[in-house]
Amino acid sequence: MQRREFLSGSLAAGAGAALLAAKTAAKTAAKSDRDDVLDVALIGAGIQGRILANCLLAIGGVRVRAVCDIWEYRREAALRYLAAFEQKAAGFEDYREMLDKTPGLDAAVVATPDFVHAEHTIACLRAGLHVYCEAP
């Protein structure tokens, strides 16, 4: 077995396991109307945003209520993806509009390019949200 075959097989197995866990967790969270559900916004729906959305779905008890991305095709793809897991989210092009029009958010996940991390993180913190933002 060559290294490439091992890596691609390992990635496929890991992705399959993560998707199965995510689908189960998302259905469990969507069926319950508990008060302890965490309402989250995703800012940035590119590759890293998709990875972090999968992680959110796998946690359970997390509801993605808003997706923000400047690129419509990414935003719409993320919304369709979340809808497959029974997550009803609103789409926004501008993070300021998202913060204004989505009351009740508990947290935000910032998955934008590094040069705008500070701007997005500070705006979310000022809005009273908990923020997850990876270091560059």
Side-chain angles (χ1 to χ4, degrees):
M1 175 179 276
Q2 297 209 358
R3 191 175 106 179
R4 281 189 185 167
E5 294 170 339
F6 175 77
L7 289 175
S8 64
S10 299
L11 289 173
L19 288 174
L20 179 61
K23 188 163 188 161
T24 303
K27 284 191 175 187
T28 302
K31 289 181 182 177
S32 66
D33 284 337
R34 301 172 300 158
D35 289 334
D36 60 345
V37 173
L38 190 67
D39 290 327
V40 177
L42 176 65
I43 304 176
I47 294 169
Q48 190 61 21
R50 185 64 148 321
I51 291 168
L52 294 174
N54 279 329
C55 293
L56 291 172
L57 293 170
I59 292 171
V62 174
R63 180 174 43 220
V64 180
R65 292 198 39 231
V67 173
C68 179
D69 198 287
I70 62 171
W71 299 105
E72 183 179 8
Y73 74 95
R74 285 186 179 168
R75 185 172 59 246
E76 294 301 321
L79 292 171
R80 282 192 308 274
Y81 182 75
L82 290 167
F85 293 97
E86 299 175 7
Q87 298 275 327
K88 295 180 182 177
F92 297 93
E93 183 178 348
D94 187 277
Y95 71 94
R96 293 169 289 244
E97 180 185 9
M98 180 197 71
L99 292 172
D100 288 340
K101 293 186 177 179
T102 315
L105 288 173
D106 298 307
V109 173
V110 177
T112 54
D114 296 340
F115 70 92
V116 287
H117 276 182
E119 179 182 343
H120 295 152
T121 300
I122 291 169
C124 291
L125 290 170
R126 286 188 176 148
L129 304 180
H130 297 276
V131 179
Y132 175 84
C133 181
E134 295 179 341

